[in-house]
Amino acid sequence: MSITTAFVGIAVLFVMLALRVPVALAMIAVSFGGVAAMLGIEPAIGIIANTPFSFVANWTLSAVPMFLLMGFIAYHSGMTTGLFEAAKAVLRRIPGALPISAIFACSGFASVCGSSLATAATMGRIAIPEMVRAGYAPSFAAGAIAAGGTLGALIPPSILMIVYGVFAETSVLRVFLGGIAMGLLTALSYCIVVLITCWLRPDIAPPRPTQGNVLPMGQALVKVWPVLALMAMVFGGLFSGLFTTTEAGAIGAGGAILIAALTRTLTLTVMRDALTETLLTSASLFIIGVGAAMFTRFLGLTGMSSYIASFVSNADFGFLHLMLIVVVIYLILGMFMEPFGAMLITLPVLLPVFRAEGIDLVWFGVLLVKLLEIGMITPPVGMNCFVIRGVAGKYVTTGQIFRGVTPFIAADLVVVALVILFPAIVMFLPALL
Amino acid sequence: MPPAIRHLQSGLLALLTAIGGLAVLALLVHVSVDVALRSLRGTPIPATYEIVTHYYMVGLAFLPLAWVERQGGMVRIDVVHGMLPPRVQAVSDRMVTVISAVIYAVLAWVTLRTALTNSANGSFILTNGVRVVTWPAYWLPPVGLALAALVTTLRAIWPEPAADDMEPAA
Amino acid sequence: QDRTLRAAPGTPPGHPSNGVMYQNFLGYLAESSDGRLGATILGPEVASLGQMKDALQSQIVEIGNLLPLYYPAELPFMALAGELSLIPGNPHAAGAAMTEFIVTCEPCQDELRRFNLVYLGSGTSDVYEILSTRPVRTAEDLRGMRLRTGGAPWARLAEHFGATPAQISVNDTFEAMSQGVIDGSIASVADLQSFRLIELVTHVTELPLGLYQATSNFTVSSATWGSLSQEDKEALAEAANLANADMTQRWGYDMPTEAIEAAEGAGIEFVEADASLIQAVEEFAATERETAIRLAQENFGIDDASDHVARFLSLLEKWEGIVDGLEPAEIAARLQDEVWSQVDFATYGG
Ligand code: NA
Ligand code: NA
């Protein structure tokens, strides 16, 4: 039976992943072996011969390197400091002003950067030392930034959302629009966590307003212009019909280079670092995509996808029951896997189920990215926490970061529940399109 | 690894990265100019879509693969592996390197067949009447994959840790 | 069933070529083969339209919906027929003419043989129209418009009238139009429903803009074909022939009718083009014959292109005379008579 082949294939995949075979190569090998076992060698060669080219030669996917480059240029040219200064100037009088300012700055940076890790790394460098000096517990300060970093993938542009759009064959722009609401809701929930912590635990979060070293409001706002200009350029052009979502990546990357040049922060080192990081991230991501595309074709040939889809519809789980299963699956996967691997290994099975159940794939994409981003801050493998450890290692240990991020994970779960119970929260913007 | 081979390898990888970086920049400039010309003069650059997808994208995805391998940039899952005793880890790492080399080599060979067929046919596509030659693009995957196979083979022969622990951004 | 073929329409279940064409094909095949042959339908996650050639050649798919215009270098005669898309004709006649043309033309069969594919007929769209976000009445209205075009003939037409053709995948049309990147699309009115354009389009201008005819809905891989008995080959061709006529009926007539009804319900305005614009379009279409001949010589080195074009046009005229007033099943019966019953299945596709 072909279904047996599918299950054997999945088992072999897990063994290979456990042995530390690269995710992409494991999926490629299993697809090849599985198709060869079912249909013979010629079809198996066909699968691996043509998928690499046909997957990568994709117009929508071309936004990935461009949005990455835009984020890395913004990152290496230091466009973020101004955001943090401005937020502090505006919010200086409220309790928890510093972490809340940092979360605002993360949101601002997220609107020009498509990656969660880059957002966490940038803000971690700037905000954590300052929070620690102001008397915040290092674990809480680091937790706030690790969580705040996830906004990078929630607020558009978002590399995860682009790749999802390609696989789900749904509009990237609509997923982006849903991401705006999801990102803002997340930021709001993090601010509430900060306020509650200030109230309940003054020992780790001093409730007094910020003193000293805050720029005058006017001066601070002037420093925000590079990010604001970049944001206006990308989103203005997008919504006025000058260019498409895909083209917005190139315009944004070009704009970031231009603005960095105008602010005299563009050096050869900045260009070289941004380009190599873009290349490293894109190439490692695309090869996983190739593997996932082959794995999708393999599972399609086994009839596995339709088998599970009909299993789910016969089981008649009901929407909430089904979503509970999905949430648990991604929370578990997110503990161990990085988001692209987790997404691309599961979509081949889940998308047919959702299509059969009539679940809106734009809504699901937004929810999925949120679930994957929770995985970025959960132990034992929490990439955002690791990167914070990398940039603020002299203040915190990895264990302390995981402890500090716990209340923010709780807030994430509340947000997930809200979005499942009231899909309109994220769908009202895409519905306008 | 003998110094001569190491030297050759790093030179080759630097070259590949440079070409990949050029593909990224070319993508940026080409799409931006296309948008500008379309908006200002109503005359977009013909075949932008095909050139971006077939050349820049395929180039920047496959040419740097060997370098990504060398940097330890391939995404892996570390959970179980970290729990193994160091000697078992070393054996398993070497085995995984051999498996990786074989997979890259097979991929290089089959994509090479595709490249040869397309070259023999002189494949092109017509986009709104403009003829875009596509067969040379099919050579990019086999070249990138073969070099990745080569780099992993060298690592299987002379095991050593990745160049540095660069973090893949997500 | 003795043999279950892997069949791929290349499109998701809701699309006409999956829904009607392949589902009907399954029924016809069971009947024409007395239950010997069956098929499992594979979705686009296994073989999308872009992957169909490779999927067929490597036998991942055994019978699939191939769009020949993706491969002009390899299928020049198909490309030549595609260049003639603006020549006016009705959908059923164009589908039948296309089928007879490819089946009975030796160099066409040669190119398919070299490509390891076997052709079992075409189906066509309705006559294309302009679906736009502003009214098009006169040639002046077309000037400066940005229009999505699905192929070279429409791009030539757009350029001739001073519009800017945009090559955008049909799946991206909605997004491009919603952002104002394009002002309209030269397409089947059925796209209003198939691709949700009904939410964006405000005007539909009816003009004789040609139809999409260079299709090969049931393309069989040569290896699969060679493994079938002559009886089974005939059964396959018979089922494909019936399903092709259904597909043209659905895409060329029924879906447009439904789309027009829905469009009227949605308050979309149907614009009557000015007589001078219609005449200008017809005059342009008349020059397409020479253009196609020139391109076939320049791009594909087909030196006797004018003979083939003449033959295609005479077949189109012949079928215009036949299909009038006939039901799809009757048209399929005529094609069976005139074309498929003349084919020697001992040698066809071999
Ligand atoms: Na972002
Ligand atoms: Na995790």
Side-chain angles (χ1 to χ4, degrees):
Chain A
M1 259 307 282
S2 302
I3 301 291
T4 323
T5 317
F7 282 114
V8 171
I10 290 171
V12 173
L13 179 68
F14 278 118
V15 172
M16 292 182 82
L17 292 179
L19 283 174
R20 230 171 147 268
V21 176
V23 175
L25 300 184
M27 287 198 280
I28 292 169
V30 168
S31 313
F32 178 79
V35 175
M38 273 189 311
L39 304 179
I41 196 77
E42 201 50 42
I45 289 176
I47 292 268
I48 63 165
N50 302 305
T51 314
F53 196 98
S54 70
F55 175 77
V56 171
N58 181 305
W59 175 246
T60 310
L61 222 47
S62 73
V64 168
M66 294 295 96
F67 277 124
L68 282 173
L69 183 61
M70 167 165 125
F72 286 128
I73 296 266
Y75 168 40
H76 288 289
S77 66
M79 281 185 201
T80 17
T81 324
L83 283 173
F84 189 44
E85 295 297 328
K88 281 195 301 186
V90 175
L91 301 166
R92 65 215 298 178
R93 302 208 178 283
I94 63 165
L98 271 183
I100 291 180
S101 299
I103 290 164
F104 270 68
C106 284
S107 312
F109 190 59
S111 66
V112 296
C113 170
S115 132
S116 168
L117 276 182
T119 308
T122 321
M123 288 313 301
R125 245 172 229 149
I126 304 163
I128 293 174
E130 196 165 335
M131 282 193 267
V132 173
R133 272 198 302 276
Y136 289 90
S139 75
F140 178 71
I145 305 298
T150 67
L151 294 167
L154 292 171
I155 294 175
S158 164
I159 310 302
L160 265 174
M161 289 179 180
I162 297 170
V163 175
Y164 172 82
V166 168
F167 267 86
E169 294 180 320
T170 183
S171 153
V172 172
L173 182 63
R174 283 160 64 88
V175 183
F176 272 9
L177 289 174
I180 294 179
M182 181 58 108
L184 295 180
L185 184 63
T186 302
L188 179 69
S189 78
Y190 291 166
C191 292
I192 293 173
V193 169
V194 172
L195 289 172
I196 293 177
T197 313
C198 286
W199 181 44
L200 292 180
R201 294 288 305 273
D203 56 319
I204 63 170
R208 63 175 185 281
T210 316
Q211 282 131 16
N213 72 346
V214 172
L215 291 175
M217 185 101 68
Q219 211 179 321
L221 288 177
V222 171
K223 293 179 110 187
V224 203
W225 81 263
V227 171
L228 286 182
L230 194 51
M231 216 158 110
M233 188 179 216
V234 171
F235 290 96
L238 203 50
F239 292 111
S240 64
L242 272 180
F243 41 76
T244 64
T245 323
T246 307
E247 294 163 339
I251 303 292
I257 293 174
L258 200 71
I259 289 171
L262 287 176
T263 54
R264 299 180 180 280
T265 49
L266 186 74
T267 61
L268 263 181
T269 320
V270 168
M271 252 338 256
R272 199 197 56 206
D273 289 352
L275 274 175
T276 45
E277 283 178 44
T278 300
L279 211 53
L280 184 78
T281 313
S282 314
S284 64
L285 180 55
F286 288 157
I287 190 83
I288 303 185
V290 167
M294 289 181 195
F295 197 58
T296 306
R297 299 182 78 184
F298 161 59
L299 286 187
L301 280 168
T302 61
M304 171 81 167
S305 322
S306 43
Y307 171 78
I308 292 191
S310 71
F311 174 77
V312 170
S313 59
N314 290 339
D316 202 14
F317 285 126
F319 174 72
L320 288 181
H321 196 160
L322 178 63
M323 291 321 296
L324 184 68
I325 297 172
V326 167
V327 168
V328 170
I329 290 176
Y330 279 107
L331 289 182
I332 294 173
L333 285 178
M335 289 168 73
F336 305 103
M337 293 187 71
E338 62 76 57
F340 286 101
M343 173 167 88
L344 294 180
I345 281 181
T346 48
L347 285 186
V349 180
L350 286 182
L351 284 177
V353 173
F354 289 158
R355 286 207 182 91
E357 297 282 304
I359 288 172
D360 188 325
L361 291 184
V362 171
W363 172 81
F364 176 68
V366 177
L367 177 71
L368 173 66
V369 171
K370 175 69 186 173
L371 291 170
L372 294 168
E373 285 301 318
I374 296 177
M376 295 290 280
I377 53 176
T378 53
V381 181
M383 301 295 289
N384 272 16
C385 298
F386 295 163
V387 83
I388 294 286
R389 165 86 181 139
V391 300
K394 67 175 180 176
Y395 302 100
V396 281
T397 64
T398 311
Q400 286 172 328
I401 303 173
F402 279 128
R403 203 167 331 126
V405 89
T406 317
F408 296 96
I409 296 176
D412 283 339
L413 295 179
V414 174
V415 168
V416 166
L418 282 174
V419 169
I420 290 176
L421 292 173
F422 309 104
I425 297 176
V426 296
M427 286 312 290
F428 79 97
L429 274 178
L432 293 179
L433 186 70
Chain B
M1 188 182 297
I5 295 182
R6 182 195 308 278
H7 202 71
L8 208 66
Q9 175 177 280
S10 54
L12 185 69
L13 295 186
L15 178 70
L16 289 177
T17 329
I19 300 175
L22 282 179
V24 173
L25 284 179
L27 171 52
L28 190 165
V29 171
H30 195 140
V31 173
S32 302
V33 172
D34 180 59
V35 169
L37 287 179
R38 185 182 68 203
S39 315
L40 299 174
R41 306 192 2 215
T43 50
I45 306 175
T48 295
Y49 184 102
E50 286 69 22
I51 293 170
V52 164
T53 54
H54 281 65
Y55 286 95
Y56 306 149
M57 281 296 281
V58 176
L60 74 89
F62 290 102
L63 291 183
L65 267 183
W67 168 72
V68 172
E69 259 296 337
R70 180 78 195 97
Q71 299 291 112
M74 294 293 283
V75 176
R76 302 159 197 266
I77 296 166
D78 287 320
V79 182
V80 183
H81 188 263
M83 295 184 237
L84 301 173
R87 195 171 312 160
V88 182
Q89 276 189 13
V91 174
S92 129
D93 280 349
R94 193 141 184 186
M95 195 173 79
V96 166
T97 309
V98 173
I99 294 176
S100 301
V102 171
I103 297 173
Y104 282 127
V106 171
L107 280 172
W109 174 66
V110 295
T111 51
L112 176 69
R113 290 202 331 174
T114 309
L116 288 168
T117 317
N118 281 300
S119 303
N121 289 341
S123 295
F124 63 88
I125 36 186
L126 290 170
T127 158
N128 281 349
V130 179
R131 179 186 171 123
V132 185
V133 172
T134 53
W135 63 262
Y138 287 88
W139 285 90
L140 295 167
V143 169
L145 290 160
L147 291 168
L150 184 67
V151 167
T152 36
T153 305
L154 291 177
R155 200 170 69 224
I157 302 171
W158 297 289
E160 59 182 40
D164 64 340
D165 274 326
M166 284 189 74
E167 61 218 13
Chain C
Q1 268 167 24
D2 303 332
R3 175 96 186 248
T4 309
L5 300 168
R6 291 184 294 279
T11 53
H15 195 271
S17 71
N18 184 328
V20 167
M21 192 163 78
Y22 269 71
Q23 293 301 333
N24 289 7
F25 171 70
L26 279 187
Y28 294 137
L29 185 61
E31 213 169 300
S32 65
S33 69
D34 297 321
R36 290 189 312 277
L37 293 177
T40 44
I41 294 187
L42 300 168
E45 75 279 5
V46 176
S48 63
L49 288 171
Q51 297 167 324
M52 198 58 73
K53 172 204 82 164
D54 299 320
L56 281 165
Q57 289 177 341
S58 60
Q59 295 229 53
I60 296 162
V61 165
E62 295 177 296
I63 178 163
N65 180 16
L66 181 92
L67 290 182
L69 295 187
Y70 285 17
Y71 317 103
E74 290 85 353
L75 299 173
F77 277 88
M78 286 283 190
L80 169 59
E83 295 289 3
L84 293 166
S85 292
L86 288 184
I87 306 283
N90 80 56
H92 273 309
M98 186 72 197
T99 303
E100 180 163 3
F101 175 69
I102 297 290
V103 170
T104 57
C105 131
E106 206 37 54
C108 307
Q109 288 297 316
D110 283 342
E111 74 183 23
L112 285 153
R113 197 172 297 125
R114 271 196 303 275
F115 217 35
N116 290 321
L117 300 175
V118 179
Y119 169 85
L120 293 181
S122 297
T124 63
S125 73
D126 58 331
V127 174
Y128 277 13
E129 306 183 344
I130 297 176
L131 321 176
S132 54
T133 52
R134 57 182 204 224
V136 177
R137 283 194 181 80
T138 62
E140 197 43 47
D141 294 333
L142 274 171
R143 188 164 298 283
M145 266 184 114
R146 284 203 295 254
L147 293 170
R148 184 200 88 90
T149 51
W154 295 283
R156 289 195 289 269
L157 178 101
E159 271 168 358
H160 175 79
F161 285 99
T164 306
Q167 173 101 2
I168 292 174
S169 138
V170 65
N171 293 309
D172 295 339
T173 310
F174 182 90
E175 201 148 313
M177 201 182 278
S178 73
Q179 292 176 49
V181 172
I182 52 171
D183 309 307
S185 176
I186 301 181
S188 159
V189 70
D191 283 8
L192 286 176
Q193 290 189 301
S194 310
F195 299 99
R196 297 193 303 130
L197 298 185
I198 196 162
E199 296 169 29
L200 302 170
V201 164
T202 55
H203 294 82
V204 175
T205 302
E206 296 171 72
L207 275 171
L209 296 178
L211 39 72
Y212 201 95
Q213 60 196 9
T215 61
S216 174
N217 297 330
F218 298 97
T219 319
V220 185
S221 105
S222 291
T224 302
W225 186 253
S227 73
L228 296 173
S229 69
Q230 187 170 331
E231 244 185 333
D232 285 347
K233 288 178 185 171
E234 280 169 35
L236 210 53
E238 191 184 329
N241 182 40
L242 285 162
N244 274 326
D246 288 353
M247 193 268 185
T248 303
Q249 180 65 31
R250 178 90 192 111
W251 191 19
Y253 300 89
D254 298 347
M255 284 181 46
T257 310
E258 289 163 21
I260 287 167
E261 256 171 48
E264 281 167 348
I268 291 176
E269 192 186 331
F270 283 79
V271 179
E272 209 164 308
D274 187 276
S276 67
L277 176 57
I278 297 177
Q279 196 192 338
V281 167
E282 284 167 351
E283 279 166 13
F284 179 76
T287 67
E288 282 287 279
R289 176 186 177 143
E290 289 312 313
T291 307
I293 294 171
R294 181 174 53 78
L295 289 175
Q297 286 165 346
E298 281 174 10
N299 281 338
F300 314 117
I302 303 176
D303 294 328
D304 56 350
S306 62
D307 299 345
H308 292 286
V309 168
R311 189 159 163 275
F312 179 80
L313 295 180
S314 78
L315 287 173
L316 191 60
E317 203 176 330
K318 161 185 160 183
W319 284 100
E320 292 275 353
I322 294 175
V323 299
D324 214 24
L326 294 188
E327 291 295 308
E330 296 168 317
I331 295 166
R334 284 298 295 268
L335 257 171
Q336 189 72 29
D337 255 17
E338 305 258 335
V339 180
W340 293 110
S341 68
Q342 314 294 315
V343 168
D344 175 8
F345 282 95
T347 56
Y348 184 77

